[in-house]
Amino acid sequence: MPASRSASPYADLGRPPLRESALRRAFELTPGLWRDIRVVEETGSTNADVLAAATAGAPEGLVLVAERQTAGRGRLDRSWVAPARSGLTFSVLLRPAGVPASNRGWLPLLAGVAVADVLRRVAEVDAYLKWPNDVIIGDRKVAGLLAEAVPGRASDLASAHSTGDAVVVGIGVNVSMRPSELPSPTATSLAIEGAATTDRDPVLRAILREFSRRYVAWRDSGGGAGAGGIRAAYAERCLTLGQKVSVALPGGRRLEGEAIAVDLLGRLVIRTDDGDRSIGAGDVIHVRSSGS
Ligand code: BT5
């Protein structure tokens, strides 16, 4: 078939569009956390859109999927780049009322566990987590997550119907991206890794179901490190633990040592020459020791 420059979503047969009606039906049939699933052809950033909806008072359970983002966000003002329909880019709105703010840092880690597990089970790839929540295969990134918070209004918190603070979790998964399309030499995709499927629909459904299952178990048991077994589940899948690491801290300083644990707040504990230090944010490089 000749290459087509048409803008039709069906032009690239290897990248069929997602069907909003089918997704909505699937989740309406089994009512749960996800109450409102929307698929848009294009937007700037699904995180920005869901944050705006949260600020306007949207309830927990909104899912916004974009076939293409023109200003996808990464952490620390970086960007997330992916050709149209080459992957999944979506954000969900959570309002974990009852979970203390200090514990909400577990949410993106919990989402990472759900994504890694689904990529293992459905796509049959060897997915692990790199702290805090890159999903990696080998040492290349197949999925990234970004959590952003909106403080609740004082009037909400005082009311009997408090909706709690909002947390938006954005997830990007590279599905059919080809080597020539990779935005960074450290990126990979399910297709490049020889996954059992590159059909986005079942991968999206499975991520939503697994995320919801873990979130509800965690939230309903208080949202702490032990809640829903999240700390143990995270540690089991996190390749950073036990490694020599070099961490670029926000602000430009660097910390080197061995990553020995994830603490009760989801921070990475690093054993340095000056003692143990917990970090809540930063970019980790896994340092290969000589001879390995
Ligand atoms: C992340 O940031 O990994 C968080 C990415 C979150 C993206 C989702 S998509 C849906 C939702 N809406 C949004 O606007 N965002 C979320 P970070 O750890 O800062 O990684 C960003 C860095 O990864 C970039 O600086 C690039 O080097 C690299 N990168 C960019 N696009 C990538 C991709 N598609 N695959 C792998 N790496 C990528």
Side-chain angles (χ1 to χ4, degrees), residues 45-47 69 73-75 78-81 141 144 174 183 187:
S45 153
T46 57
N47 257 45
Q69 293 187 122
R73 294 187 194 166
R75 295 177 303 137
R78 291 185 295 236
S79 50
W80 186 259
V81 180
K141 181 160 162 176
N174 301 330

Side-chain angles (χ1 to χ4, degrees), residues 43-49 64 66 69 71-83 86 88-92 132-135 140-148 168-174 177 181-189 282-283:
T43 190
S45 153
T46 57
N47 257 45
D49 293 349
L64 177 67
Q69 293 187 122
R73 294 187 194 166
R75 295 177 303 137
L76 309 168
D77 284 334
R78 291 185 295 236
S79 50
W80 186 259
V81 180
S86 66
L88 291 166
T89 46
F90 64 104
S91 301
V92 303
N133 42 38
D134 286 352
V135 184
R140 303 212 282 164
K141 181 160 162 176
V142 68
L145 287 90
L146 172 68
E148 296 180 272
V168 175
V169 179
I171 300 177
V173 185
N174 301 330
M177 207 181 265
E181 294 172 320
L182 294 175
S184 142
T186 58
T188 191
S189 70
D283 282 312

Side-chain angles (χ1 to χ4, degrees), residues 131 240 243 245-247 249 255-261 267-279 284:
W131 188 91
T240 307
Q243 298 228 27
V245 294
S246 172
V247 189
L249 299 174
L255 200 64
E256 291 186 354
E258 185 189 344
I260 56 166
R267 298 176 305 183
L268 187 65
V269 184
I270 301 180
R271 180 147 294 167
T272 73
D273 292 342
D274 301 325
D276 293 353
R277 305 271 302 276
S278 290
I279 56 160
V284 172

Side-chain angles (χ1 to χ4, degrees), residues 198-264:
T198 53
D199 187 349
R200 293 181 302 152
D201 181 277
V203 176
L204 175 60
R205 289 182 195 211
I207 292 174
L208 289 173
R209 291 199 198 289
E210 182 63 11
F211 189 169
S212 154
R213 189 185 69 77
R214 283 205 177 268
Y215 169 70
V216 170
W218 171 81
R219 179 195 64 193
D220 292 354
S221 38
I230 192 56
R231 187 180 182 206
Y234 181 83
E236 212 174 282
R237 292 156 183 78
C238 180
L239 223 51
T240 307
L241 295 178
Q243 298 228 27
K244 287 208 165 109
V245 294
S246 172
V247 189
L249 299 174
R253 283 187 309 123
R254 191 164 275 284
L255 200 64
E256 291 186 354
E258 185 189 344
I260 56 166
V262 170
D263 75 7
L264 293 174

